[in-house]
Amino acid sequence: MTALDLGSPVGVVGTGTMGQGIAQVALVAGHPVRLHDALPGRAGQAAEAIGARLGRLVEKGRLTGAERDAARARLEPVGSLAGLAGCGLVVEAVVERLDAKQELLRELESAVGEECLLATNTSSLSVTAVGGALHRPERFVGLHFFNPAPLLPLVEVVSGFATAPAAATRAYETARAWGKTPVHCADTPGFIVNRIARPFYAEALAVHEARGADPATVDAVLRESGGFRMGAFELTDLIGQDVNESVTHSVWRSFFRDARFTPSLAQRRLVESGRLGRKSGRGWYAYGEGAERPAPHTAAPADPPAHVAVTGGLGPAAGLPKLLREAGIEVRDGAPDGAGALLLPGGGRLRLADGRTSAELGDTVQFDLALDYGAAGRIALAAGEGTAPRTLAEATGLFQALGKEVSVVGDVPGMIVARTVARIVDLAHDAVAQGVATREDVDTAMRLGVNYPLGPFAWGDRLGRGWAHALLTEVHRREPAGRCAPSLALHRHAHARDATEGSAP
């Protein structure tokens, strides 16, 4: 099945931000586009707005004047659904209510031809349920664009329970012909991105609720250590706290209140107070005129230790000894086996976060996971009640000697980046095991849909087969509500053996 022919008109119903964006994408790709909106005059206004944006593309050198004029000539507002007859594809982008979408689709089905592909841009509703109103749901598919649709490359092509493979393939090839990067996805709550991204928000909120760190510090650690484009608190302020919470609740309810997707009371209170983020002028941060962003907690300068000794393997932090030597700190060899740690001159230990608390490890400081310890601009440290002040000072000075800012956070199991990444990796394995998408499509979706520095599988491979499972197992023992319990899919992956390793005894 090939992409929709360029001569075939594309219909868009609903002319809000997403509807206009989808129409612009199809228009620039070369299709005639017909716009419809239930409110009189809205389709004409949307056509004018799209035309103005095409003009700005000419100013930026992305379209020629002739291409703009040709595109405008292909754009037609229509006053009724009957005006969509003859379209090869109609995408609905109306309000996110199941009843509204079903009623529209029932009318659409009688207005368009037998071969017309019908699609929904829903981000939170079941594609299967939306298509349940149709007599022929096999020609119905989800086409989930990301906002702003003309700029963001990802499109989730979602197959409902009754969607025919040929319909999904045509939708996929059409999106690709439009210059997008499509991924196939089964109809699951949240699809790929909104399902697997939940821990990015949930773990930041959990750390905050446990009084492990303030929002500014959590965000700084996620950006400067984890390599994420934005921190969780600033990103939810950008999305809108009400929108982000609504998606979280939708996924949670759709999974029958699965503990892994539990919403946050702290975010609920923020929404109840009307602090919705940038659009209301205040969320986790203030955005009014003259408002200043609070600074993350940053430790005062401390003297670095003259030497450290390495014992055992450091896992994802294996590159630290080389960085320390380059910074002029003597690195001695300790015991080659046993738990991986850096032994500090004062007798304390510095360990990579492994899901336990520092309090149970004696005179120990834990440090958080970093995407790249060489490039990271900030490292989070956590000390327990048994940690000597000298040990924390030596650990702080050690990372400062590497040119890092240091944030000392509360003694939360798994810290910030480590628990977040482990949970993202876990949900990715779980989704693939349930047939939601392939590993490759999951990694593509998370990189392009939410700008993760690595896809979950690429990240998990870098960290090691058993790393995420081991960390989440320890976190779950200390927070047994179930949110951080590793999935069966991750358990199987952690305990699998490559064929070259032979069978387990």
Side-chain angles (χ1 to χ4, degrees):
M1 180 72 69
T2 58
L4 194 67
D5 184 82
L6 280 182
S8 185
V10 172
V12 177
V13 181
T15 58
T17 301
M18 285 305 301
Q20 290 185 34
I22 294 167
Q24 182 178 327
V25 170
L27 197 63
V28 171
H31 289 273
V33 173
R34 300 175 186 174
L35 290 174
H36 174 71
D37 197 288
L39 292 176
R42 286 287 296 273
Q45 293 170 6
E48 291 178 5
I50 293 169
R53 283 197 293 275
L54 294 176
R56 289 194 288 274
L57 291 179
V58 173
E59 294 171 4
K60 295 177 181 178
R62 296 176 184 172
L63 284 180
T64 66
E67 289 170 334
R68 174 201 58 201
D69 295 343
R72 283 177 173 172
R74 293 194 301 271
L75 182 59
E76 178 188 1
V78 296
S80 69
L81 294 180
L84 302 176
C87 286
L89 166 66
V90 176
V91 183
E92 71 79 12
V94 301
V95 62
E96 283 285 280
R97 281 199 351 252
L98 181 61
D99 60 340
K101 290 180 182 293
Q102 287 184 327
E103 181 180 354
L104 169 64
L105 285 165
R106 279 192 290 265
E107 296 179 28
L108 263 176
E109 193 171 33
S110 61
V112 299
E114 290 290 317
E115 299 304 314
C116 180
L117 184 65
L118 297 176
T120 175
N121 184 57
T122 184
S123 61
S124 61
L125 299 176
S126 162
V127 171
T128 300
V130 174
L134 295 170
H135 293 294
R136 290 186 54 215
E138 66 273 11
R139 64 166 166 170
F140 181 68
V141 66
L143 271 178
H144 180 214
F145 288 77
F146 287 73
N147 191 28
L151 296 180
L152 296 185
L154 184 69
V155 177
E156 292 176 317
V157 180
V158 186
S159 292
F161 184 78
T163 303
T169 300
R170 168 153 283 191
Y172 181 96
E173 294 299 335
T174 298
R176 187 161 68 171
W178 290 357
K180 297 301 181 181
T181 303
V183 292
H184 281 296
C185 175
D187 185 20
T188 184
F191 310 144
I192 299 174
V193 172
N194 278 329
R195 172 177 175 156
I196 296 174
R198 293 347 293 164
F200 181 71
Y201 314 110
E203 296 315 308
L205 287 160
V207 169
H208 175 58
E209 288 177 325
R211 306 192 71 171
D214 61 278
T217 301
V218 172
D219 280 353
V221 171
L222 286 170
R223 288 193 315 269
E224 299 170 40
S225 184
F228 292 97
R229 186 73 60 86
M230 298 179 72
F233 293 99
E234 58 189 343
L235 181 54
T236 53
D237 268 0
L238 177 63
I239 294 168
Q241 297 299 332
D242 52 340
V243 174
N244 183 260
E245 192 206 28
S246 176
V247 173
T248 298
H249 271 270
S250 175
V251 173
W252 176 60
R253 289 192 301 267
S254 297
F255 275 113
F256 306 104
R257 291 171 166 75
D258 187 326
R260 295 176 300 167
F261 303 101
T262 302
S264 162
L265 180 60
Q267 188 175 42
R268 176 90 293 261
R269 292 291 179 260
L270 200 70
V271 172
E272 289 174 339
S273 72
R275 296 183 175 187
L276 306 181
R278 289 179 180 271
K279 63 185 178 183
S280 70
R282 186 173 181 86
W284 293 109
Y285 304 109
Y287 297 95
E289 184 177 350
E292 295 184 6
R293 177 72 62 89
H297 170 75
T298 301
D303 294 330
H307 60 83
V308 296
V310 179
T311 176
L314 297 179
L320 271 181
K322 180 176 183 292
L323 296 175
L324 293 172
R325 291 188 184 97
E326 291 172 352
I329 295 174
E330 180 185 353
V331 179
R332 301 173 179 176
D333 292 331
D337 51 6
L342 295 175
L343 307 181
L344 299 168
R349 292 172 177 261
L350 182 60
R351 296 174 53 92
L352 176 63
D354 64 2
R356 295 180 289 177
T357 60
S358 297
E360 63 198 272
L361 298 174
D363 188 8
T364 298
V365 170
Q366 294 193 82
F367 62 95
D368 207 351
L369 180 69
L371 173 68
D372 181 336
Y373 284 100
R378 182 178 298 269
I379 295 293
L381 302 180
E385 293 180 3
T387 304
R390 175 176 175 176
T391 299
L392 180 57
E394 288 178 339
T396 300
L398 186 79
F399 281 105
Q400 289 174 340
L402 297 180
K404 319 297 183 190
E405 300 281 7
V406 172
S407 292
V408 179
V409 302
D411 192 13
V412 178
M415 300 192 69
I416 299 172
V417 179
R419 66 189 285 155
T420 299
V421 171
R423 287 213 58 218
I424 290 169
V425 169
D426 180 43
L427 288 192
H429 276 277
D430 186 52
V432 170
Q434 293 187 19
V436 173
T438 65
R439 290 171 57 112
E440 293 75 20
D441 277 356
V442 166
D443 273 4
T444 297
M446 301 313 290
R447 284 189 298 101
L448 299 183
V450 278
N451 285 314
Y452 284 3
L454 289 173
F457 288 99
W459 215 334
D461 290 344
R462 176 188 287 193
L463 294 169
R465 181 183 288 276
W467 179 85
H469 179 268
L471 185 134
L472 291 179
T473 298
E474 296 295 344
V475 174
H476 176 58
R477 286 174 179 163
R478 289 149 184 85
E479 299 178 7
R483 193 183 73 252
C484 293
S487 66
L488 177 59
L490 188 66
H491 178 84
R492 287 170 172 160
H493 174 75
H495 292 87
R497 296 289 183 270
D498 294 333
T500 55
E501 296 182 68
S503 301

